[in-house]
């Protein structure tokens, strides 16, 4: 029977039995709601005003989901997090890969240099002469062809309204058109390298939730920052593009698609978190993605009234430590982690009225703060539509890949 697309949340009351019938008895279990994932693919595309989205792989870490997104209308290419990962994905058929962060992995650079097809497919990120030196030294002996290594320059678009105040990611030291042009010219003096693009990621807009009255200051900062970026990034891109042919200018992330895509110098958006819509992305005023990734954990004890303890649960997201980095309990509704223990290493007590009805062996469903990191803890995800398990696919970990 053909599946009728659903815009309703997964039926958690039935999900446990559905998974068990499909042979998925082990807990914890990771589940992707395919209807929600596909809705998010379409919703992100609608937000770009026609610019392509380069899929940020760190926020998926599951090859089948990455391939589905990349193949969707409005999506093109991958934004990877390490060169090792990029080489692996290229060996599995992906052809347009930008590594979003600089690498000091000389062995991986040598492997890149030794494969002509990888050299043509993969772009490295640089922001300074030491990066250029390191790449040149690494490829010195390894080069099997004369095709140059593709590089892109990372520009800092953090907001600095006052001297000494830096709001945004601490990444590239290059902030001005002169800085950018200086490195572009340096690249052009090195025949082993070829400049193909610019990336300028506005993390203070793309990655900082701005929903609700208490975040009015965040919204003000983001508005001022996007105006400032429009001028500075625009001037830098025009300066570099005046002398060099650029294939792409990448900007943004899930949280900034609207503002980034209005910048006329941007040719593509890099984004991934909005596809599985992890909990940190509930907090944006401009869009509401559908939660698409859930984790089921087994209840193993009932230590007290209104308390149930699950095995595992401590999937804490990276970033500045705080309650927003903890998973959220989605089902049964109304449960929270205990204040004394939080989400634990081996066990996590969850507290609330609904715990009264939980028995040993029942499943409690969580969402995690970030979308990609949990895949490092699960070897596979079940892909589900409504009450049907459509497929079971390996995560990077399930494919024995470990990149950082
Ligand atoms: C360079 C770059 N682009 C884009 C993103 C946005 O990714 P996502 O949409 O998955 O949050 C990030 C996230 O950190 C990033 O570092």
């Amino acid at each position: 029977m053909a599946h009728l697309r659903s815009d309703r949340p997964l039926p958690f009351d039935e999900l446990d039995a559905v998974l068990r019938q499909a042979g998925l008895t082990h807990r914890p279990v990771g589940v992707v709601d395919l209807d929600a994932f596909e809705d998010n693919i379409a919703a992100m595309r609608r937000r770009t005003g026609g610019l392509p989205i380069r899929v940020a792989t760190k926020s998926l870490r599951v090859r089948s989901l990455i391939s589905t997104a990349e193949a969707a209308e409005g999506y093109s290419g991958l934004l990877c997090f390490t060169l090792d990962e990029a080489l692996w994905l290229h060996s599995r058929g992906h052809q347009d890969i930008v590594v979003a962060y600089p690498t000091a992995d000389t062995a991986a650079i040598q492997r890149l240099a030794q494969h002509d097809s990888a050299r043509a497919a993969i772009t490295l990120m640089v922001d300074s002469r030491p990066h250029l030196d390191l790449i040149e030294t690494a490829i010195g002996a390894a080069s099997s062809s004369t095709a140059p290594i593709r590089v892109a320059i990372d520009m800092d678009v953090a907001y600095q309204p006052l001297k000494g105040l830096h709001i945004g990611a601490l990444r590239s030291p290059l902030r001005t058109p002169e800085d950018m042009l200086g490195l572009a010219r340096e690249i052009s003096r090195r025949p082993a390298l070829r400049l193909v693009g610019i990336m300028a990621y506005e993390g203070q807009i793309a990655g900082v939730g701005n929903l609700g009255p208490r975040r009015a200051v965040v919204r003000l900062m983001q508005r001022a920052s996007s105006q400032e970026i429009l001028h500075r990034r625009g001037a830098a891109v025009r300066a570099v593009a005046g002398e060099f042919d650029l294939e792409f200018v990448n900007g943004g992330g899930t949280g900034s698609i609207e503002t980034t895509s209005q910048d006329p110098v941007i040719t593509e958006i890099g984004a991934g978190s909005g596809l599985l819509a992890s909990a940190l992305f509930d907090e944006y005023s401009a869009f509401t993605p559908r939660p698409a990734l859930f984790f089921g954990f087994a209840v193993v004890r009932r230590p007290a009234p209104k308390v149930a303890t699950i095995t595992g649960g401590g999937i804490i997201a990276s970033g500045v430590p705080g309650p927003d980095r903890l998973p959220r309990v989605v089902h049964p509704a109304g449960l929270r982690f205990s204040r004394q223990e939080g989400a634990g290493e081996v066990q996590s007590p969850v507290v609330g009225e609904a715990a009264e009805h939980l028995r040993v062996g029942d499943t409690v469903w969580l969402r995690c703060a970030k979308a990609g990191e949990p895949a490092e803890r699960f070897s596979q995800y079940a892909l589900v539509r409504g009450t049907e398990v459509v497929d079971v696919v390996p995560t990077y970990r399930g494919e024995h890949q470990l990149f950082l």
Side-chain angles (χ1 to χ4, degrees), residues 193-320:
L193 308 177
R194 183 158 76 88
L195 176 64
V196 296
I198 288 176
M199 189 189 74
Y201 167 63
E202 53 274 68
Q204 70 278 15
I205 305 172
V208 179
N210 61 8
L211 186 64
R214 291 206 317 228
R215 303 241 176 80
V217 177
V218 172
R219 290 194 293 279
L220 274 178
M221 175 279 289
Q222 291 178 334
R223 218 169 300 143
S225 173
S226 66
Q227 285 305 312
E228 191 269 337
I229 290 169
L230 211 55
H231 293 292
R232 189 159 54 84
R233 180 165 58 193
V237 170
R238 281 188 288 275
V240 176
E243 292 188 23
F244 303 97
D245 284 339
L246 297 176
E247 293 174 17
F248 66 86
V249 180
N250 181 291
T254 292
S256 75
I257 293 178
E258 286 79 4
T259 51
T260 308
S261 54
Q262 278 167 22
D263 184 337
V265 301
I266 291 289
T267 66
E268 60 176 44
I269 308 288
S273 294
L275 297 170
L276 289 173
S278 53
L280 283 174
F281 287 83
D282 294 348
E283 317 270 301
Y284 287 78
S285 57
F287 62 98
T288 312
R290 280 183 68 181
L293 180 60
F294 302 93
F295 298 96
F297 290 84
V299 173
V300 281
R301 48 173 44 152
R302 290 287 321 275
K306 299 183 190 167
V307 183
T309 299
I310 56 175
T311 296
I315 307 178
I316 315 292
S318 59
V320 181

Side-chain angles (χ1 to χ4, degrees), residues 44 54-60 79-80 99-101 125 154 169 171 199-203 206-207 250-257 269-275 281 284 370-372:
M44 298 238 299
R54 188 178 282 283
V55 180
T57 58
K58 75 178 180 66
S59 302
L60 294 167
L79 193 66
C80 283
V99 184
Y101 315 91
M125 197 56 58
D154 190 1
R171 292 190 186 172
M199 189 189 74
Y201 167 63
E202 53 274 68
N250 181 291
T254 292
S256 75
I257 293 178
I269 308 288
S273 294
L275 297 170
F281 287 83
Y284 287 78
K370 285 195 164 184

